[in-house]
Amino acid sequence: GDSVTQMEGPVTLSEEAFLTINCTYTATGYPSLFWYVQYPGEGLQLLLKATKADDKGSNKGFEATYRKETTSFHLEKGSVQVSDSAVYFCALSSGNTGKLIFGQGTTLQVKP
Amino acid sequence: EAGVAQSPRYKIIEKRQSVAFWCNPISGHATLYWYQQILGQGPKLLIQFQNNGVVDDSQLPKDRFSAERLKGVDSTLKIQPAKLEDSAVYLCASSLVGTRGTDTQYFGPGTRLTVL
């Protein structure tokens, strides 16, 4: 079945460092891909999405490109801030139901 | 615009007891989802409603879990009887249409269930 694999955390970075969180997927058909973020004490919220191959999603300085050839959707940010500390989830939606399949999440901790 | 509302936020029960969670989606959203998130894992879909009909309940343990969305608006998820392994955060989400894979799902704050 469809699945999502994320790099294991926690990831610890200093402020202004470059961030990459790897995400690869397995799916039949042509899924949409999402990154959700969960800040401490808050609910899941959409960070960005891409709905077809070669699309780039971006928001709040974060970017991810839908790479069909490598079945990947890696999350990047050029300069992280302490306020980016959170758990990041990669997810896909395939088929006609809209059901989301999530990766296990990657915890990011940014130190000043 | 009000977000997805859930209650209670926290619940502690003994094993074999029953518990119910409530969710009110964003106004006008046709599709409602219940996810289970076990500590250290990503959310897993339990059940999906389109209006008041079930679209997908393949991962719902039907011997102990039940859910309803009678008027196509708010929804209740019940566990009876609870087991230790049901300890998790139960997330409700809604989307405008839902059956399009491109739709954004909006999540509520979740209910953290602890089964002792």
Side-chain angles (χ1 to χ4, degrees):
Chain A
D2 296 353
S3 66
V4 175
T5 302
Q6 290 180 234
M7 64 185 286
E8 291 199 14
V11 174
T12 302
L13 296 173
S14 298
E15 210 165 20
E16 300 183 3
F18 185 85
L19 168 71
T20 300
I21 300 178
N22 290 338
C23 171
T24 57
Y25 67 90
T26 302
T28 54
Y30 303 96
S32 294
L33 301 174
F34 304 80
W35 277 99
Y36 277 82
V37 60
Q38 191 168 37
Y39 297 104
E42 298 184 18
L44 275 169
Q45 54 187 275
L46 179 69
L47 180 60
L48 53 85
K49 69 179 183 182
T51 59
K52 61 183 187 297
D54 300 325
D55 268 3
K56 178 186 282 188
S58 61
N59 186 27
K60 298 182 181 180
F62 290 89
E63 293 182 340
T65 301
Y66 188 161
R67 302 284 188 202
K68 186 169 179 287
E69 63 277 12
T70 55
T71 62
S72 65
F73 193 54
H74 305 321
L75 182 68
E76 296 182 337
K77 187 175 185 184
S79 176
V80 294
Q81 306 300 312
V82 172
S83 57
D84 294 326
S85 298
V87 182
Y88 293 81
F89 291 93
C90 185
L92 68 82
S93 173
S94 63
N96 292 325
T97 67
K99 161 184 168 180
L100 286 176
I101 296 171
F102 286 88
Q104 74 271 30
T106 303
T107 299
L108 171 66
Q109 184 177 22
V110 181
K111 297 187 172 180
Chain B
E1 178 184 85
V4 177
Q6 290 188 247
S7 67
R9 292 294 308 277
Y10 305 91
K11 190 74 177 178
I12 301 173
I13 61 172
E14 303 268 336
K15 61 183 178 183
R16 291 187 289 273
Q17 286 186 323
S18 62
V19 64
F21 313 127
W22 175 82
C23 172
N24 193 34
I26 293 173
S27 178
H29 279 196
T31 306
L32 185 148
Y33 310 79
W34 283 102
Y35 290 86
Q36 180 192 57
Q37 186 178 13
I38 293 172
L39 186 65
Q41 300 181 18
K44 182 186 78 172
L45 181 72
L46 291 175
I47 188 167
Q48 176 183 346
F49 293 94
Q50 180 82 4
N51 296 309
N52 59 351
V54 175
V55 174
D56 184 347
D57 64 356
S58 57
Q59 298 297 306
L60 187 73
K62 298 181 186 64
D63 57 335
R64 298 184 301 105
F65 286 65
S66 64
E68 59 185 13
R69 192 186 185 199
L70 292 177
K71 297 182 180 178
V73 181
D74 57 348
S75 175
T76 303
L77 175 70
K78 296 179 181 177
I79 307 175
Q80 181 180 14
K83 293 185 174 181
L84 296 177
E85 60 261 35
D86 298 332
S87 294
V89 176
Y90 290 85
L91 297 168
C92 180
S94 70
S95 63
L96 192 58
V97 176
T99 51
R100 296 179 307 208
T102 56
D103 274 2
T104 296
Q105 293 184 25
Y106 297 87
F107 285 80
T111 297
R112 182 178 298 276
L113 173 67
T114 302
V115 182
L116 302 176

